[in-house]
Amino acid sequence: MSKINLKICGITNKASILKAYQNNVKSLGFASNNLNGPNTTNDKNIKKLIKECDYYKIESVLLTRFYSIDEIIKQIDFTKPKTISCSYHFSKNELLKIKQLFKKLKIGIAINPENFDKKYIQSIREIVDVIYFDMNVYKKKSIKKYSLKKSLKQIQFIKNKNIPVYIGGGIDKKNVSKILKQITPFGLDISRSLKNERNLISKSKLKDFLNQISVG
């Protein structure tokens, strides 16, 4: 099995960053509390956690949903992530503005089965560095889950555009090998299946998961 990059998302504490470092996990995601779904936190805490990632040389990814380009620019400037993952689909010109202001920042777009748009992906394919494809769709009070079978054509479309794609949503040690055989993504974006009841990265769960994959 080829090496797969691993990103653990929904990090809310320093203990999980240390656990990631000890297990050679090189990318961690922080979900802004302007989003629906679990494991979100405020910008002040995200800024502290990103500083911790910088210390351990771990890539920090900020997942956000601000609708105003000016608001997201302020959020990036305050939290200082290495990568931004926008769940709101900013236009090509708006993304270019972000790139001009933050020249070292990698730009990612969060996509799910319900907001997938071929024309949009085509329009921003030369600007974005990565796409995070989540098979879960987060509502205010629920999570709608899609299978890989239903998402496969969409993921393949992204891959065919030569955009690195991380796959997330319902992936765990029981199904990861099967998923990787069906489609080889650039990386995996995992959250709750690697954590305990206190939202800390679980040493045993992470070890079991890493045993199923070769992590790059």
Side-chain angles (χ1 to χ4, degrees):
M1 187 180 295
S2 60
K3 288 186 177 180
I4 298 294
N5 297 288
L6 176 62
K7 170 177 166 278
I8 303 179
C9 196
I11 302 299
T12 57
N13 51 74
K14 289 184 178 181
S16 288
I17 295 175
L18 178 59
K19 190 70 65 179
Y21 170 73
Q22 292 170 340
N23 288 275
N24 200 35
V25 176
K26 297 178 181 178
S27 183
L28 295 176
F30 305 90
S32 172
N33 60 5
N34 60 39
L35 290 161
N36 295 323
N39 306 330
T40 64
T41 187
N42 61 60
D43 285 356
K44 189 175 180 181
N45 189 39
I46 289 173
K47 181 175 184 177
K48 291 178 181 178
L49 296 173
I50 286 176
K51 282 186 177 180
E52 196 78 3
C53 281
D54 291 343
Y55 176 79
Y56 288 112
K57 294 181 171 56
I58 296 172
E59 179 199 25
S60 52
V61 182
L62 171 64
L63 176 61
T64 185
R65 190 183 177 172
F66 280 144
Y67 293 106
S68 161
I69 191 68
D70 292 329
E71 285 180 306
I72 198 173
I73 286 170
K74 288 179 183 177
Q75 190 182 32
I76 294 168
D77 192 47
F78 179 74
T79 57
K80 294 179 170 53
K82 292 294 184 291
T83 302
I84 185 78
S85 176
C86 306
S87 67
Y88 178 74
H89 292 174
F90 291 100
S91 69
K92 178 180 179 179
N93 288 337
E94 288 173 323
L95 294 177
L96 283 171
K97 184 176 181 179
I98 294 174
K99 224 170 181 58
Q100 289 166 357
L101 288 171
F102 306 100
K103 299 189 185 304
K104 293 183 178 180
L105 180 74
K106 291 181 180 179
I107 294 181
I109 301 294
I111 288 177
N112 64 50
E114 293 185 2
N115 67 17
F116 180 84
D117 185 331
K118 289 183 178 180
K119 289 184 179 180
Y120 176 72
I121 294 169
Q122 179 65 35
S123 72
I124 52 88
R125 63 189 291 259
E126 294 181 1
I127 302 170
V128 298
D129 298 283
V130 60
I131 284 179
Y132 299 98
F133 189 97
D134 196 335
M135 293 186 291
N136 289 341
V137 179
Y138 296 93
K139 310 291 185 179
K140 284 187 177 181
K141 295 183 179 180
S142 64
I143 301 174
K144 187 174 181 180
K145 300 180 179 181
Y146 285 80
S147 66
L148 179 63
K149 184 178 180 180
K150 289 185 177 180
S151 308
L152 202 56
K153 287 184 179 179
Q154 294 177 346
I155 295 169
Q156 191 60 57
F157 178 86
I158 297 168
K159 288 188 67 177
N160 290 343
K161 297 299 176 183
N162 294 318
I163 306 172
V165 57
Y166 278 77
I167 300 176
I171 300 175
D172 55 31
K173 67 175 184 178
K174 295 179 181 178
N175 63 16
V176 65
S177 295
K178 183 178 179 180
I179 287 172
L180 293 178
K181 286 179 181 178
Q182 287 182 273
I183 188 165
T184 305
F186 179 79
L188 297 171
D189 194 355
I190 314 297
S191 182
R192 290 173 299 158
S193 65
L194 297 181
K195 297 174 184 173
N196 61 24
E197 65 281 354
R198 293 185 296 153
N199 199 38
L200 297 168
I201 292 178
S202 165
K203 181 179 178 180
S204 59
K205 289 181 180 180
L206 180 57
K207 182 179 179 181
D208 287 345
F209 187 82
L210 293 176
N211 284 337
Q212 302 297 316
I213 64 174
S214 296
V215 179

